[in-house]
Amino acid sequence: MPKTHTAAGTLLGRIASRIGRVRARRRLAELAQEDAAAVQQQTLLSLVRKAAKTKFGRDHDFASITDVASYQARVPLRRYDDLWRDYWQTGFPKLTDVTWPGTYPYFAMSSGTTTGLNKYIPTSHELIATNSQTVRDMFVQHYANRGASNIFAGKVFMLGGSTALTLEAPGIQSGDMSGIEANEMPWLARRFFFPPPELALIADYDEKIDKLVRASANMDIRAIIGPPNWMLVFFDRLLKHDSARPALADLWPNLKLVLHGGMNFTPYRVRFQSILAGTQAETREIYAASEGFFAVADRGDGEGMRLLVDHGIFYEFVLVDDLDKPNPRRFWLGTVEPGVEYAMILTSCSGAWAYVIGDTVRFVDTKPPRLLVTGRTAYVLTA
């Protein structure tokens, strides 16, 4: 056993893994019965009711919205720059009852606007909770494929950006989504995750990678989560760290899961297959951004990710060629078709309404909804 793990910690991890397997069976049974279109319409109406008294809700007559069609008639498509100009910029950073009830506690930092400036994505407590639910669903799919996995008997390595946050106003902070998630993580859950706060806070990329390599080389890492390009840089340095153990299977013999996202995995697949040779690890794709966590692979790489429809986000889709046309036709899970390339539109429990995220997707199935990401915006996943 790696010296960095105590017997008590391993026992607690095995208990946590056992609980996870039980919850996974329940969740899988629930997903098997799910009517995605019905759940999505219910999600939309719940969001509209909750935000009816906000400025945005009053401006768009939320009180009269009764279904998807009436929502689409009253709420036009908007990009980040539109919402920032019309609703978020004036009161920033204290936005109270503007596009979502209450005051935003966080703003997730991202990039990729038409002006080239950083985006401040309003982040509610409700969105943070749905992101956590998606993380649980990631492990549900792992347990579905590896029913005996004791993944929490070791550490889950979160390879993301700096967790340092900037105080924008009393009770309001901004930073990378990984920092927001770390700040909100329950204290009991933190013992299962790596790196510790003093390493997670480091902003300098090279310094951080070097320190993570030294700290993790003798740890019982069971899973790693991050963008594939970041993971390859990390793995290259890790494998050079100990000449007596030149393979990942020697350094992390209990590695079970590699969760990747943020960009197309195809160019990296062969490299990962080589690095993971001899390990027990499966690779599994996730689809996430600063605006939320959306989907997780429930089958093999390249076979599509299951869209998570009960997590407080309503999804719409516009034909890519029609996106810049006036009043393009808007599809949703009740009307989408497989094999068609769509631009994805979000309505979220964080006050993003008919928000053009900038990604393009193609459905491989509709019952249940599974999609492939065919184009990404400029941000990097740091969940």
Side-chain angles (χ1 to χ4, degrees):
M1 181 185 301
K3 62 184 179 181
T4 51
H5 248 301
T6 65
T10 301
L11 176 60
L12 182 60
R14 287 175 179 167
I15 293 171
S17 294
R18 190 175 300 120
I19 293 171
R21 291 194 294 269
V22 171
R23 289 180 174 174
R25 288 193 292 271
R26 293 175 182 169
R27 176 62 171 161
L28 289 168
E30 179 181 275
L31 290 173
Q33 300 297 318
E34 187 174 70
D35 181 336
V39 171
Q40 276 284 275
Q41 178 155 274
Q42 181 181 3
T43 296
L44 174 63
L45 295 179
S46 176
L47 294 172
V48 165
R49 285 193 296 269
K50 185 158 188 177
K53 294 182 180 180
T54 64
K55 175 174 171 43
F56 192 96
R58 296 192 304 273
D59 288 350
H60 296 83
D61 194 18
F62 274 13
S64 67
I65 293 174
T66 57
D67 55 19
V68 174
S70 57
Y71 174 76
Q72 292 175 335
R74 287 166 176 75
V75 182
L77 302 182
R78 286 181 170 90
R79 290 173 169 80
Y80 170 83
D81 293 337
D82 302 321
L83 280 168
W84 175 257
R85 180 192 64 238
D86 296 341
Y87 287 95
W88 295 334
Q89 184 175 25
T90 300
F92 179 83
K94 188 174 182 180
L95 302 179
T96 302
D97 298 332
V98 178
T99 55
W100 190 250
T103 302
Y104 290 109
Y106 297 104
F107 290 87
M109 299 292 293
S110 185
S111 62
T113 71
T114 55
T115 61
L117 301 175
N118 283 333
K119 295 193 291 186
Y120 288 85
I121 308 295
T123 304
S124 66
H125 284 299
E126 290 90 341
L127 184 65
I128 295 166
T130 66
N131 287 351
S132 297
Q133 187 179 352
T134 306
V135 171
R136 290 192 291 271
D137 273 352
M138 296 175 195
F139 292 111
V140 164
Q141 298 303 335
H142 171 67
Y143 286 127
N145 191 42
R146 302 285 180 88
S149 176
N150 279 319
I151 200 165
F152 291 108
K155 292 284 189 180
V156 176
F157 189 156
M158 309 286 281
L159 182 59
S162 172
T163 59
L165 298 176
T166 299
L167 185 66
E168 300 287 351
I172 303 171
Q173 300 177 85
S174 66
D176 194 279
M177 181 57 80
S178 58
I180 294 171
E181 296 289 342
N183 200 50
E184 291 290 317
M185 185 179 291
W187 69 269
L188 183 59
R190 293 179 186 179
R191 68 179 302 140
F192 301 116
F193 289 87
F194 176 86
E198 64 272 15
L199 296 184
L201 285 167
I202 297 173
D204 183 85
Y205 181 73
D206 285 330
E207 177 189 359
K208 185 170 191 172
I209 291 293
D210 285 340
K211 289 187 176 180
L212 290 175
V213 163
R214 292 195 295 271
S216 66
N218 292 314
M219 298 201 73
D220 184 10
I221 301 295
R222 302 289 178 105
I224 183 168
I225 304 173
N229 58 337
W230 284 30
M231 282 195 276
L232 287 180
V233 170
F234 173 80
F235 285 146
D236 284 343
R237 296 196 194 180
L238 178 66
L239 296 176
K240 294 174 183 177
H241 175 70
D242 187 344
S243 59
R245 295 183 295 169
L248 191 63
D250 299 321
L251 288 161
W252 295 351
N254 295 319
L255 184 66
K256 299 291 193 299
L257 175 64
V258 176
L259 279 164
H260 60 87
M263 57 189 61
N264 183 5
F265 188 62
T266 301
Y268 304 99
R269 184 171 284 116
V270 173
R271 285 286 313 279
F272 271 85
Q273 289 172 346
S274 175
I275 290 171
L276 297 175
T279 73
Q280 305 171 54
E282 64 164 349
T283 56
R284 192 168 292 280
E285 188 172 5
I286 56 178
Y287 178 20
S290 297
E291 290 86 352
F293 292 3
F294 313 131
V296 59
D298 62 344
R299 299 191 294 193
D301 276 325
E303 296 184 65
M305 293 173 283
R306 180 160 180 163
L307 195 64
L308 301 170
V309 301
D310 59 350
H311 287 192
I313 297 176
F314 175 74
Y315 302 96
E316 294 178 87
F317 306 90
V318 171
L319 296 175
V320 171
D321 292 340
D322 292 349
L323 185 59
D324 292 323
K325 295 179 180 179
N327 301 314
R329 182 181 175 188
R330 290 156 65 174
F331 299 83
W332 64 293
L333 288 188
T335 57
V336 292
E337 297 179 358
V340 178
E341 190 166 19
Y342 296 104
M344 194 160 86
I345 316 298
L346 303 178
T347 289
S348 79
C349 58
S350 200
W353 300 98
Y355 175 97
V356 182
I357 191 173
D359 293 352
T360 58
V361 301
R362 184 177 69 252
F363 282 89
V364 297
D365 294 302
T366 56
K367 295 183 179 181
R370 293 190 183 94
L371 52 75
L372 294 169
V373 180
T374 58
R376 299 300 307 264
T377 48
Y379 50 67
V380 173
L381 169 69
T382 54

